[in-house]
PDB file of all heavy atoms in Angstrom:
ATOM      1  N   GLY M 623     144.640 177.662 -57.960  1.00  0.00           N
ATOM      2  CA  GLY M 623     144.289 176.717 -56.925  1.00  0.00           C
ATOM      3  C   GLY M 623     144.954 176.924 -55.630  1.00  0.00           C
ATOM      4  O   GLY M 623     145.759 177.880 -55.448  1.00  0.00           O
ATOM      5  N   ALA M 626     148.877 177.360 -55.592  1.00  0.00           N
ATOM      6  CA  ALA M 626     149.506 178.275 -56.471  1.00  0.00           C
ATOM      7  C   ALA M 626     150.442 179.179 -55.735  1.00  0.00           C
ATOM      8  O   ALA M 626     150.049 179.842 -54.689  1.00  0.00           O
ATOM      9  CB  ALA M 626     148.481 179.201 -57.113  1.00  0.00           C
ATOM     10  N   THR M 631     146.999 179.122 -47.942  1.00  0.00           N
ATOM     11  CA  THR M 631     147.159 180.171 -46.927  1.00  0.00           C
ATOM     12  C   THR M 631     145.938 180.345 -46.108  1.00  0.00           C
ATOM     13  O   THR M 631     146.012 180.968 -44.980  1.00  0.00           O
ATOM     14  CB  THR M 631     147.602 181.395 -47.564  1.00  0.00           C
ATOM     15  OG1 THR M 631     146.565 181.756 -48.538  1.00  0.00           O
ATOM     16  CG2 THR M 631     148.949 181.422 -48.216  1.00  0.00           C
ATOM     17  N   SER M 649     119.243 156.607 -48.735  1.00  0.00           N
ATOM     18  CA  SER M 649     117.756 156.164 -48.642  1.00  0.00           C
ATOM     19  C   SER M 649     116.745 157.341 -48.798  1.00  0.00           C
ATOM     20  O   SER M 649     115.625 157.111 -48.499  1.00  0.00           O
ATOM     21  CB  SER M 649     117.615 155.442 -47.162  1.00  0.00           C
ATOM     22  OG  SER M 649     117.774 156.285 -46.185  1.00  0.00           O
ATOM     23  N   PRO M 656     114.265 168.977 -38.766  1.00  0.00           N
ATOM     24  CA  PRO M 656     114.924 170.034 -38.267  1.00  0.00           C
ATOM     25  C   PRO M 656     116.561 169.975 -38.473  1.00  0.00           C
ATOM     26  O   PRO M 656     117.198 170.999 -38.744  1.00  0.00           O
ATOM     27  CB  PRO M 656     114.666 170.075 -36.785  1.00  0.00           C
ATOM     28  CG  PRO M 656     113.234 169.352 -36.623  1.00  0.00           C
ATOM     29  CD  PRO M 656     113.351 168.263 -37.795  1.00  0.00           C
ATOM     30  N   GLY M 688     115.789 156.303 -42.896  1.00  0.00           N
ATOM     31  CA  GLY M 688     116.292 157.168 -41.891  1.00  0.00           C
ATOM     32  C   GLY M 688     117.814 157.415 -42.092  1.00  0.00           C
ATOM     33  O   GLY M 688     118.383 158.347 -41.551  1.00  0.00           O
ATOM     34  N   THR M 691     118.859 160.660 -43.942  1.00  0.00           N
ATOM     35  CA  THR M 691     118.622 161.793 -43.166  1.00  0.00           C
ATOM     36  C   THR M 691     119.694 161.859 -42.095  1.00  0.00           C
ATOM     37  O   THR M 691     120.084 163.000 -41.717  1.00  0.00           O
ATOM     38  CB  THR M 691     117.151 161.713 -42.491  1.00  0.00           C
ATOM     39  OG1 THR M 691     116.262 161.657 -43.523  1.00  0.00           O
ATOM     40  CG2 THR M 691     116.928 162.959 -41.618  1.00  0.00           C
ATOM     41  N   ALA M 692     120.128 160.845 -41.451  1.00  0.00           N
ATOM     42  CA  ALA M 692     121.214 160.795 -40.519  1.00  0.00           C
ATOM     43  C   ALA M 692     122.509 161.415 -41.128  1.00  0.00           C
ATOM     44  O   ALA M 692     123.126 162.298 -40.535  1.00  0.00           O
ATOM     45  CB  ALA M 692     121.484 159.384 -40.043  1.00  0.00           C
ATOM     46  N   HIS M 698     124.983 168.739 -42.636  1.00  0.00           N
ATOM     47  CA  HIS M 698     124.526 170.107 -42.408  1.00  0.00           C
ATOM     48  C   HIS M 698     125.080 170.693 -41.093  1.00  0.00           C
ATOM     49  O   HIS M 698     125.407 172.001 -41.096  1.00  0.00           O
ATOM     50  CB  HIS M 698     122.946 170.120 -42.208  1.00  0.00           C
ATOM     51  CG  HIS M 698     122.377 171.383 -41.926  1.00  0.00           C
ATOM     52  ND1 HIS M 698     122.456 172.497 -42.710  1.00  0.00           N
ATOM     53  CD2 HIS M 698     121.769 171.891 -40.749  1.00  0.00           C
ATOM     54  CE1 HIS M 698     121.945 173.517 -42.233  1.00  0.00           C
ATOM     55  NE2 HIS M 698     121.431 173.131 -41.014  1.00  0.00           N
ATOM     56  N   GLU M 703     125.911 176.075 -44.514  1.00  0.00           N
ATOM     57  CA  GLU M 703     125.557 176.853 -45.613  1.00  0.00           C
ATOM     58  C   GLU M 703     125.628 176.100 -46.976  1.00  0.00           C
ATOM     59  O   GLU M 703     125.242 176.733 -47.993  1.00  0.00           O
ATOM     60  CB  GLU M 703     126.568 178.041 -45.711  1.00  0.00           C
ATOM     61  CG  GLU M 703     126.559 178.969 -44.493  1.00  0.00           C
ATOM     62  CD  GLU M 703     127.637 180.065 -44.665  1.00  0.00           C
ATOM     63  OE1 GLU M 703     127.388 180.951 -45.431  1.00  0.00           O
ATOM     64  OE2 GLU M 703     128.624 179.935 -44.017  1.00  0.00           O
ATOM     65  N   GLN M 705     124.260 173.470 -49.810  1.00  0.00           N
ATOM     66  CA  GLN M 705     123.007 172.971 -50.313  1.00  0.00           C
ATOM     67  C   GLN M 705     123.013 171.511 -50.483  1.00  0.00           C
ATOM     68  O   GLN M 705     124.097 170.919 -50.737  1.00  0.00           O
ATOM     69  CB  GLN M 705     122.656 173.623 -51.662  1.00  0.00           C
ATOM     70  CG  GLN M 705     122.452 175.056 -51.554  1.00  0.00           C
ATOM     71  CD  GLN M 705     121.968 175.676 -52.905  1.00  0.00           C
ATOM     72  OE1 GLN M 705     122.335 175.182 -54.010  1.00  0.00           O
ATOM     73  NE2 GLN M 705     121.089 176.532 -52.853  1.00  0.00           N
ATOM     74  N   ASP M 715     114.226 148.333 -46.729  1.00  0.00           N
ATOM     75  CA  ASP M 715     115.096 147.343 -46.044  1.00  0.00           C
ATOM     76  C   ASP M 715     116.493 147.867 -46.006  1.00  0.00           C
ATOM     77  O   ASP M 715     117.418 147.086 -45.625  1.00  0.00           O
ATOM     78  CB  ASP M 715     114.982 145.930 -46.740  1.00  0.00           C
ATOM     79  CG  ASP M 715     115.409 145.994 -48.137  1.00  0.00           C
ATOM     80  OD1 ASP M 715     115.598 147.093 -48.672  1.00  0.00           O
ATOM     81  OD2 ASP M 715     115.484 144.933 -48.813  1.00  0.00           O
ATOM     82  N   HIS M 725     123.911 154.047 -61.528  1.00  0.00           N
ATOM     83  CA  HIS M 725     123.097 155.063 -62.307  1.00  0.00           C
ATOM     84  C   HIS M 725     123.131 156.361 -61.448  1.00  0.00           C
ATOM     85  O   HIS M 725     123.165 157.436 -62.058  1.00  0.00           O
ATOM     86  CB  HIS M 725     121.833 154.669 -62.621  1.00  0.00           C
ATOM     87  CG  HIS M 725     121.750 153.818 -63.969  1.00  0.00           C
ATOM     88  ND1 HIS M 725     121.488 154.400 -65.157  1.00  0.00           N
ATOM     89  CD2 HIS M 725     121.914 152.467 -64.133  1.00  0.00           C
ATOM     90  CE1 HIS M 725     121.424 153.366 -66.096  1.00  0.00           C
ATOM     91  NE2 HIS M 725     121.761 152.318 -65.464  1.00  0.00           N
ATOM     92  N   GLU M 733     125.530 165.958 -63.422  1.00  0.00           N
ATOM     93  CA  GLU M 733     125.089 167.173 -62.749  1.00  0.00           C
ATOM     94  C   GLU M 733     126.209 168.031 -62.278  1.00  0.00           C
ATOM     95  O   GLU M 733     125.926 169.193 -61.810  1.00  0.00           O
ATOM     96  CB  GLU M 733     124.071 166.810 -61.634  1.00  0.00           C
ATOM     97  CG  GLU M 733     122.790 166.272 -62.054  1.00  0.00           C
ATOM     98  CD  GLU M 733     121.891 167.194 -62.893  1.00  0.00           C
ATOM     99  OE1 GLU M 733     121.713 168.341 -62.414  1.00  0.00           O
ATOM    100  OE2 GLU M 733     121.440 166.854 -63.971  1.00  0.00           O
ATOM    101  N   VAL M 737     130.694 167.457 -54.483  1.00  0.00           N
ATOM    102  CA  VAL M 737     130.851 166.579 -53.334  1.00  0.00           C
ATOM    103  C   VAL M 737     129.659 165.689 -53.169  1.00  0.00           C
ATOM    104  O   VAL M 737     128.533 166.080 -53.309  1.00  0.00           O
ATOM    105  CB  VAL M 737     131.168 167.365 -52.056  1.00  0.00           C
ATOM    106  CG1 VAL M 737     131.476 166.312 -50.970  1.00  0.00           C
ATOM    107  CG2 VAL M 737     132.184 168.431 -52.145  1.00  0.00           C
ATOM    108  N   GLU M 747     130.783 141.853 -57.887  1.00  0.00           N
ATOM    109  CA  GLU M 747     132.039 141.803 -58.675  1.00  0.00           C
ATOM    110  C   GLU M 747     131.795 142.170 -60.167  1.00  0.00           C
ATOM    111  O   GLU M 747     132.689 142.590 -60.857  1.00  0.00           O
ATOM    112  CB  GLU M 747     132.594 140.364 -58.548  1.00  0.00           C
ATOM    113  CG  GLU M 747     133.215 140.149 -57.174  1.00  0.00           C
ATOM    114  CD  GLU M 747     134.612 140.877 -56.943  1.00  0.00           C
ATOM    115  OE1 GLU M 747     135.140 141.354 -57.948  1.00  0.00           O
ATOM    116  OE2 GLU M 747     135.018 140.951 -55.850  1.00  0.00           O
ATOM    117  N   ASP M 758     136.614 157.137 -61.726  1.00  0.00           N
ATOM    118  CA  ASP M 758     137.620 157.851 -62.529  1.00  0.00           C
ATOM    119  C   ASP M 758     137.088 159.062 -63.269  1.00  0.00           C
ATOM    120  O   ASP M 758     137.587 160.198 -63.320  1.00  0.00           O
ATOM    121  CB  ASP M 758     138.241 156.932 -63.556  1.00  0.00           C
ATOM    122  CG  ASP M 758     139.501 156.036 -62.986  1.00  0.00           C
ATOM    123  OD1 ASP M 758     139.734 156.314 -61.746  1.00  0.00           O
ATOM    124  OD2 ASP M 758     139.919 155.164 -63.628  1.00  0.00           O
ATOM    125  N   GLY M 776     138.177 143.606 -43.769  1.00  0.00           N
ATOM    126  CA  GLY M 776     138.652 142.787 -44.887  1.00  0.00           C
ATOM    127  C   GLY M 776     137.734 142.538 -45.992  1.00  0.00           C
ATOM    128  O   GLY M 776     138.061 141.941 -46.997  1.00  0.00           O
ATOM    129  N   TYR M 780     132.801 148.280 -53.259  1.00  0.00           N
ATOM    130  CA  TYR M 780     133.084 149.276 -54.265  1.00  0.00           C
ATOM    131  C   TYR M 780     132.024 150.354 -54.133  1.00  0.00           C
ATOM    132  O   TYR M 780     130.941 150.092 -53.772  1.00  0.00           O
ATOM    133  CB  TYR M 780     133.153 148.667 -55.623  1.00  0.00           C
ATOM    134  CG  TYR M 780     133.884 147.319 -55.604  1.00  0.00           C
ATOM    135  CD1 TYR M 780     133.227 146.122 -55.736  1.00  0.00           C
ATOM    136  CD2 TYR M 780     135.315 147.369 -55.411  1.00  0.00           C
ATOM    137  CE1 TYR M 780     133.904 144.945 -55.729  1.00  0.00           C
ATOM    138  CE2 TYR M 780     135.997 146.146 -55.502  1.00  0.00           C
ATOM    139  CZ  TYR M 780     135.326 144.884 -55.607  1.00  0.00           C
ATOM    140  OH  TYR M 780     136.087 143.831 -55.552  1.00  0.00           O
ATOM    141  N   PHE M 802     141.332 161.772 -38.745  1.00  0.00           N
ATOM    142  CA  PHE M 802     142.729 161.289 -38.932  1.00  0.00           C
ATOM    143  C   PHE M 802     142.987 160.906 -40.465  1.00  0.00           C
ATOM    144  O   PHE M 802     142.052 160.398 -41.171  1.00  0.00           O
ATOM    145  CB  PHE M 802     143.035 160.073 -38.075  1.00  0.00           C
ATOM    146  CG  PHE M 802     142.888 160.281 -36.665  1.00  0.00           C
ATOM    147  CD1 PHE M 802     141.750 159.794 -35.930  1.00  0.00           C
ATOM    148  CD2 PHE M 802     143.735 160.945 -35.936  1.00  0.00           C
ATOM    149  CE1 PHE M 802     141.571 160.033 -34.632  1.00  0.00           C
ATOM    150  CE2 PHE M 802     143.642 161.217 -34.493  1.00  0.00           C
ATOM    151  CZ  PHE M 802     142.552 160.763 -33.936  1.00  0.00           C
ATOM    152  N   LEU M 863     142.972 168.070 -47.171  1.00  0.00           N
ATOM    153  CA  LEU M 863     142.276 167.370 -46.087  1.00  0.00           C
ATOM    154  C   LEU M 863     143.230 166.650 -45.150  1.00  0.00           C
ATOM    155  O   LEU M 863     143.155 166.580 -44.040  1.00  0.00           O
ATOM    156  CB  LEU M 863     141.233 166.372 -46.711  1.00  0.00           C
ATOM    157  CG  LEU M 863     140.210 165.764 -45.754  1.00  0.00           C
ATOM    158  CD1 LEU M 863     139.309 166.764 -45.165  1.00  0.00           C
ATOM    159  CD2 LEU M 863     139.403 164.620 -46.524  1.00  0.00           C
TER     160      LEU M 863
END
Side-chain angles (χ1 to χ4, degrees):
T631 56
S649 61
T691 301
H698 176 64
E703 297 176 79
Q705 294 185 324
D715 59 354
H725 276 267
E733 292 292 309
V737 184
E747 291 286 344
D758 276 356
Y780 314 108
F802 300 104
L863 190 66

